[in-house]
Amino acid sequence: MEFSGKVLIVDDEAHIRKYLSLIVKRLGNPVIVEAQNGEEALMLYETHTPDIVLLDVNMPGMDGIQALEKLREAHPKAVVMMLTSLAARNVVERCVELGAVNFLRKDTPKEAIAKIIADTIAAHVGK
Amino acid sequence: MTEHPTGNGPHRPSLAGRKILVVEDDRLNARIITSILKPEGFVTAEAHSAEKALELYSTFQPDLVLLDIVLPGMDGIEACRRIKRDLGGSSIPVIFITALNKPEDVVAGLTAGGVDYVVKPFQAKETLARIRTHMSLRVLMEQHIALIDDLSKANAAKNHFLGIAAHDLRNPLTSIRGLSEFLMEDTTGPLNDDQRAMLQSMHSATQVMLDLLNELLDISIIESGETHLDCVPCNLVDIVADAVALSSIQASKKDMRFDFKRGMLTQALMLDTRKFRQVIDNLLSNAIKFSPRGSTITVEVSEDTGHQNVSVRDQGRGIPKGEMGKLFQSFGRTSVRPTGGEKSTGLGLAICRKIVEAHGGKITANNLEEGGADFRVTFKTSHHGI
């Protein structure tokens, strides 16, 4: 896959953003934008209109679920994939309800993360 | 036993202030009993009929009842039954008062839920000794119930803490593992052998910690009672076959092979396949860990009347005598060490047991006569079959 779109990575932990952006970079030649909480993510979404958002669930301040709700309200076509470290059933259900297209556990091996992101882009971006 | 003046030996719980309901229609006898009990620090109330006693029971809330068998109207036996059955006094000791020449009363009283009896005319010392014994037991039981309650609260708090700790540690470790992989893949330029070896160490140490954290999370989630099972009908042979196929790669690294015996199964089981797979994966990886190079691991799925079983038999050293009890406990590592330097957290089998028991099944381990251990998971088909 040669992906050269825009990806917004939202996570409060800098090392996770770093790690995920390295994975995303291997998908081709993407533009990567990073945000560290929900508010920042909403702002950056307006200025950059990314093709896909990787959005952490647990963040201080506005968390991923609140951000997802606001984002999908303003942009019903926003493609959002949730990031978690422990996917509780009720959280997954809530996010799917709010229109998240996929779920990613951050401790998944990185080749598998790459594949999940690539598949999600192939299935949802530009559709 | 020597008589202690206060009746409270140094290791006995204090009985002062404990309440005794005396039920005796003969007012003189009632007064004699009260006069024996009062100096010992007991608080007493008297009832002269069973009806009156039942009325008094709820307001007085005694710790022990002394109950005459022969009473006008309702007798003591029936009063005892009602205290036990209707008044929430199932754990309240009831001691019957009986005449010396009525052994059949004693049997009837004990059958109705009484714990003991005293005979008229009263022997003060004997009566007191019996009362103290049963009151002490009652107090100890209360203390144990309170202790169990405290312990289970503490255990819940521990699990909560464990969950949070494991959760917060997992993200950084995920990054360290992933970033070290990027470096090893020469993402930032070629590495020399020393650099590569150091990164390899970092990477494997991180992986071990991640595995430990994941098992800690598993056990804390399972122990806090949040084991939610998503059961679907499935074929035991299929699940085990998948697990064996995947573990074969690991086994071949130690020149081991699996001998998989697929029994004929007549019915499907209701299982949470993801969780059950975790159990089988764990048993297989243990068998690989603890067996010598070049050995054979026998995996057998079978069915007998009312049960389906999975048995994993290795050719390792078996389970040391006296360590069988540790096996399924959290962190219950035995003295047997893995044969290829593999790591073990001591949580795997504890998790297996919780998962199997959540399914209503049983997991057991036995040593084989020919050497090695046999780990066996058994499910009832009557409960799980469809």
PDB file of all heavy atoms in Angstrom, chain B residues 251 254-257 291-296 315:
ATOM      1  N   ALA B 251       7.158 -26.030  19.850  1.00  0.00           N
ATOM      2  CA  ALA B 251       7.666 -27.343  20.255  1.00  0.00           C
ATOM      3  C   ALA B 251       8.848 -27.762  19.386  1.00  0.00           C
ATOM      4  O   ALA B 251       9.831 -28.321  19.880  1.00  0.00           O
ATOM      5  CB  ALA B 251       6.550 -28.382  20.172  1.00  0.00           C
ATOM      6  N   LYS B 254      12.364 -27.037  20.320  1.00  0.00           N
ATOM      7  CA  LYS B 254      13.033 -27.898  21.299  1.00  0.00           C
ATOM      8  C   LYS B 254      12.979 -29.362  20.847  1.00  0.00           C
ATOM      9  O   LYS B 254      13.034 -30.268  21.682  1.00  0.00           O
ATOM     10  CB  LYS B 254      12.366 -27.739  22.682  1.00  0.00           C
ATOM     11  CG  LYS B 254      12.684 -26.382  23.331  1.00  0.00           C
ATOM     12  CD  LYS B 254      11.931 -26.184  24.637  1.00  0.00           C
ATOM     13  CE  LYS B 254      12.633 -26.852  25.809  1.00  0.00           C
ATOM     14  NZ  LYS B 254      11.920 -26.590  27.091  1.00  0.00           N
ATOM     15  N   ASP B 255      12.848 -29.551  19.537  1.00  0.00           N
ATOM     16  CA  ASP B 255      12.797 -30.899  18.953  1.00  0.00           C
ATOM     17  C   ASP B 255      11.714 -31.767  19.569  1.00  0.00           C
ATOM     18  O   ASP B 255      11.881 -32.981  19.737  1.00  0.00           O
ATOM     19  CB  ASP B 255      14.162 -31.630  19.100  1.00  0.00           C
ATOM     20  CG  ASP B 255      15.266 -30.866  18.399  1.00  0.00           C
ATOM     21  OD1 ASP B 255      14.979 -30.296  17.329  1.00  0.00           O
ATOM     22  OD2 ASP B 255      16.387 -30.813  18.946  1.00  0.00           O
ATOM     23  N   MET B 256      10.607 -31.152  19.947  1.00  0.00           N
ATOM     24  CA  MET B 256       9.522 -31.937  20.537  1.00  0.00           C
ATOM     25  C   MET B 256       8.422 -32.092  19.512  1.00  0.00           C
ATOM     26  O   MET B 256       8.329 -31.324  18.563  1.00  0.00           O
ATOM     27  CB  MET B 256       8.931 -31.196  21.729  1.00  0.00           C
ATOM     28  CG  MET B 256       9.910 -31.017  22.839  1.00  0.00           C
ATOM     29  SD  MET B 256       9.230 -29.761  23.905  1.00  0.00           S
ATOM     30  CE  MET B 256       9.559 -30.445  25.410  1.00  0.00           C
ATOM     31  N   ARG B 257       7.598 -33.094  19.753  1.00  0.00           N
ATOM     32  CA  ARG B 257       6.450 -33.236  18.863  1.00  0.00           C
ATOM     33  C   ARG B 257       5.185 -33.492  19.684  1.00  0.00           C
ATOM     34  O   ARG B 257       5.240 -33.927  20.831  1.00  0.00           O
ATOM     35  CB  ARG B 257       6.680 -34.351  17.850  1.00  0.00           C
ATOM     36  CG  ARG B 257       7.056 -35.702  18.444  1.00  0.00           C
ATOM     37  CD  ARG B 257       7.165 -36.731  17.363  1.00  0.00           C
ATOM     38  NE  ARG B 257       5.853 -37.126  16.865  1.00  0.00           N
ATOM     39  CZ  ARG B 257       5.108 -38.085  17.416  1.00  0.00           C
ATOM     40  NH1 ARG B 257       5.522 -38.735  18.490  1.00  0.00           N
ATOM     41  NH2 ARG B 257       3.934 -38.390  16.906  1.00  0.00           N
ATOM     42  N   SER B 291       9.347 -29.882  29.631  1.00  0.00           N
ATOM     43  CA  SER B 291       9.733 -31.202  29.141  1.00  0.00           C
ATOM     44  C   SER B 291      11.125 -31.148  28.532  1.00  0.00           C
ATOM     45  O   SER B 291      11.542 -30.116  28.017  1.00  0.00           O
ATOM     46  CB  SER B 291       8.748 -31.681  28.068  1.00  0.00           C
ATOM     47  OG  SER B 291       7.487 -31.836  28.640  1.00  0.00           O
ATOM     48  N   PRO B 292      11.817 -32.284  28.564  1.00  0.00           N
ATOM     49  CA  PRO B 292      13.157 -32.313  27.982  1.00  0.00           C
ATOM     50  C   PRO B 292      13.098 -32.243  26.458  1.00  0.00           C
ATOM     51  O   PRO B 292      12.082 -32.596  25.853  1.00  0.00           O
ATOM     52  CB  PRO B 292      13.714 -33.658  28.458  1.00  0.00           C
ATOM     53  CG  PRO B 292      12.522 -34.488  28.769  1.00  0.00           C
ATOM     54  CD  PRO B 292      11.434 -33.548  29.188  1.00  0.00           C
ATOM     55  N   ARG B 293      14.173 -31.790  25.859  1.00  0.00           N
ATOM     56  CA  ARG B 293      14.275 -31.730  24.398  1.00  0.00           C
ATOM     57  C   ARG B 293      13.994 -33.105  23.822  1.00  0.00           C
ATOM     58  O   ARG B 293      14.336 -34.124  24.407  1.00  0.00           O
ATOM     59  CB  ARG B 293      15.685 -31.318  23.964  1.00  0.00           C
ATOM     60  CG  ARG B 293      16.082 -29.915  24.374  1.00  0.00           C
ATOM     61  CD  ARG B 293      17.397 -29.536  23.717  1.00  0.00           C
ATOM     62  NE  ARG B 293      17.191 -29.159  22.322  1.00  0.00           N
ATOM     63  CZ  ARG B 293      16.887 -27.917  21.939  1.00  0.00           C
ATOM     64  NH1 ARG B 293      16.781 -26.956  22.824  1.00  0.00           N
ATOM     65  NH2 ARG B 293      16.697 -27.640  20.661  1.00  0.00           N
ATOM     66  N   GLY B 294      13.364 -33.123  22.681  1.00  0.00           N
ATOM     67  CA  GLY B 294      13.168 -34.378  21.965  1.00  0.00           C
ATOM     68  C   GLY B 294      12.026 -35.236  22.496  1.00  0.00           C
ATOM     69  O   GLY B 294      11.826 -36.352  22.009  1.00  0.00           O
ATOM     70  N   SER B 295      11.279 -34.742  23.495  1.00  0.00           N
ATOM     71  CA  SER B 295      10.222 -35.595  24.040  1.00  0.00           C
ATOM     72  C   SER B 295       8.904 -35.398  23.286  1.00  0.00           C
ATOM     73  O   SER B 295       8.789 -34.532  22.424  1.00  0.00           O
ATOM     74  CB  SER B 295      10.038 -35.312  25.531  1.00  0.00           C
ATOM     75  OG  SER B 295       9.717 -33.964  25.737  1.00  0.00           O
ATOM     76  N   THR B 296       7.942 -36.244  23.626  1.00  0.00           N
ATOM     77  CA  THR B 296       6.640 -36.183  22.963  1.00  0.00           C
ATOM     78  C   THR B 296       5.590 -35.720  23.961  1.00  0.00           C
ATOM     79  O   THR B 296       5.557 -36.176  25.106  1.00  0.00           O
ATOM     80  CB  THR B 296       6.259 -37.583  22.436  1.00  0.00           C
ATOM     81  OG1 THR B 296       7.248 -37.977  21.492  1.00  0.00           O
ATOM     82  CG2 THR B 296       4.890 -37.558  21.767  1.00  0.00           C
ATOM     83  N   GLN B 315       6.469 -35.467  29.203  1.00  0.00           N
ATOM     84  CA  GLN B 315       7.471 -36.425  29.671  1.00  0.00           C
ATOM     85  C   GLN B 315       8.514 -35.693  30.511  1.00  0.00           C
ATOM     86  O   GLN B 315       9.699 -36.012  30.476  1.00  0.00           O
ATOM     87  CB  GLN B 315       8.120 -37.131  28.467  1.00  0.00           C
ATOM     88  CG  GLN B 315       7.102 -37.965  27.696  1.00  0.00           C
ATOM     89  CD  GLN B 315       7.666 -38.585  26.437  1.00  0.00           C
ATOM     90  OE1 GLN B 315       8.577 -38.055  25.810  1.00  0.00           O
ATOM     91  NE2 GLN B 315       7.120 -39.737  26.035  1.00  0.00           N
TER      92      GLN B 315
END
